[in-house]
């Protein structure tokens, strides 16, 4: 009887694994302090465009147990909502809990339209110290320099980005031929005109 009842319980619990959302909701009901479940819900909410909901779940997760992952997700939510200063604070806070490449890539994206040249320079020095082979960070550094009009330096950084990974052709064409191009930043409701 005991084995049979545990088997039935396991079968029903197995249904919770139908999707991450259902599993996370069930986990929160069973354990309201499950920070990982809140982070999973934040990721799903952000991917579905429910950014306010994503920020709320991320904030709950951060308040329970701060980590690079949940601070990154909070930063993504805030960045996508247009709260750039708050997003930068979230990303910065996340770096105190470890080095996460996705968090640094998101911070690099943020520098394209929010920050100062001095702070951006410090950030990229640190980011490339930790992740010297990350194509995306090199690419954003190239775009940033092109935006400041430092075309020769932008070309050097772009070549580094291409060495470590792929760069969209229109970015390559724009920087290498010194022509203006428009960049739409993913998950951010803004476009940049790089001269």
């Amino acid at each position: 009887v005991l084995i049979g009842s545990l088997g039935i319980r396991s079968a029903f619990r197995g249904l919770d694994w139908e999707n991450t959302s259902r599993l996370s909701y069930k986990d929160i009901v069973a354990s309201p302090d499950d920070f990982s479940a809140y982070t999973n819900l934040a990721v799903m909410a952000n991917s579905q465009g429910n950014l306010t909901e994503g920020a709320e779940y991320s904030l709950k997760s951060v308040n329970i147990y701060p980590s690079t992952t949940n601070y990154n997700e909070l930063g993504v939510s805030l960045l996508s909502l247009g709260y750039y200063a708050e997003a930068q604070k979230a990303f910065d806070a996340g770096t105190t809990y470890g080095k996460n490449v996705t968090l640094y890539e998101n911070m690099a994206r943020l520098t394209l339209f929010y920050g100062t040249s001095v702070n951006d320079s410090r950030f990229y020095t640190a980011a490339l110290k930790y992740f010297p082979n990350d194509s995306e960070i090199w690419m954003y550094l190239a775009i940033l320099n092109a935006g400041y009009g430092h075309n020769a330096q932008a070309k050097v950084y772009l070549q580094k980005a291409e060495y470590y990974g792929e760069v969209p052709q229109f970015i390559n064409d724009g920087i290498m031929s010194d022509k203006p191009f428009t960049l739409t930043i993913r998950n951010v409701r803004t476009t940049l005109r790089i001269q």
Side-chain angles (χ1 to χ4, degrees):
V1 172
L2 178 63
I3 292 173
S5 63
L6 289 175
I8 291 171
R9 183 177 180 274
S10 294
F12 280 117
R13 181 67 174 150
L15 295 175
D16 294 344
W17 287 83
E18 179 181 331
N19 62 48
T20 307
S21 171
R22 182 176 176 161
L23 179 62
S24 296
Y25 284 120
K26 292 280 190 171
D27 287 348
I28 289 170
V29 168
S31 176
D33 290 338
D34 188 342
F35 73 94
S36 181
Y38 283 114
T39 301
N40 289 339
L41 291 174
V43 169
M44 289 181 6
N46 286 338
S47 69
Q48 295 169 352
N50 302 325
L51 305 172
T52 304
E53 187 178 332
E56 290 170 4
Y57 286 133
S58 296
L59 195 54
K60 285 181 183 179
S61 180
V62 163
N63 288 332
I64 294 167
Y65 184 81
S67 70
T68 58
T69 305
N70 53 21
Y71 265 118
N72 179 57
E73 206 56 43
L74 177 60
V76 167
S77 300
L78 295 169
L79 176 62
S80 299
L81 287 167
Y83 300 121
Y84 304 141
E86 293 83 357
Q88 183 169 5
K89 288 178 187 173
F91 291 139
D92 287 341
T95 63
T96 63
Y97 295 97
K99 306 301 175 232
N100 178 310
V101 69
T102 305
L103 184 136
Y104 277 85
E105 289 172 350
N106 287 327
M107 289 175 74
R109 242 184 337 135
L110 179 61
T111 66
L112 297 180
F113 49 90
Y114 182 81
T116 63
S117 60
V118 171
N119 289 338
D120 293 345
S121 177
R122 287 184 193 140
F123 161 73
Y124 278 103
T125 299
L128 291 168
K129 174 183 161 193
Y130 300 125
F131 306 106
N133 302 335
D134 189 82
S135 176
E136 196 166 330
I137 294 173
W138 282 109
M139 179 186 70
Y140 288 135
L141 181 57
I143 294 168
L144 187 69
N145 275 270
Y148 285 142
H150 306 146
N151 295 349
Q153 197 60 49
K155 291 175 184 178
V156 170
Y157 296 144
L158 186 68
Q159 288 173 339
K160 286 271 196 183
E162 290 176 326
Y163 179 77
Y164 294 117
E166 291 185 31
V167 173
Q169 191 62 44
F170 76 97
I171 293 174
N172 182 312
D173 293 345
I175 291 175
M176 292 313 246
S177 62
D178 296 323
K179 292 183 180 174
F181 62 96
T182 301
L183 179 66
T184 302
I185 313 289
R186 76 171 189 261
N187 300 330
V188 181
R189 295 178 221 157
T190 190
T191 58
L192 295 174
R193 181 85 174 148
I194 306 298
Q195 299 293 335

